[in-house]
Amino acid sequence: MHFLYGFCFTPAIAAHVMHVYRHSSKTAFYLALTAIMVTSLCYEWFEWLVAIMLSAKDAEAYND
């Protein structure tokens, strides 16, 4: 699932950046990849907070 998130959204974000902000394809791809990595990191932090704030049973149920 994590791979598909980046694989599916990177081209869409890059196309958006090229269209709206008129960047080159290389810059647009770099910005799209950076955006995917930042949003993935934020989600991982959220999962970590869930894991440490909930009981072990509830945290495991969330991750299932």
Side-chain angles (χ1 to χ4, degrees):
M1 192 57 158
H2 290 93
F3 173 76
L4 287 177
Y5 172 68
F7 187 75
C8 292
F9 281 121
T10 300
I13 294 171
H16 176 75
V17 169
M18 286 185 343
H19 177 72
V20 173
Y21 300 106
R22 307 281 187 224
H23 286 293
S24 68
S25 60
K26 185 177 179 179
T27 302
F29 177 75
Y30 174 77
L31 291 172
L33 191 62
T34 302
I36 294 296
M37 291 171 65
V38 167
T39 56
S40 295
L41 177 63
C42 290
Y43 182 75
E44 291 299 325
W45 282 343
F46 172 74
E47 279 189 325
W48 174 73
L49 283 173
V50 167
I52 65 170
M53 295 182 79
L54 296 178
S55 68
K57 180 181 174 185
D58 290 338
E60 199 58 41
Y62 171 78
N63 286 325
D64 283 339

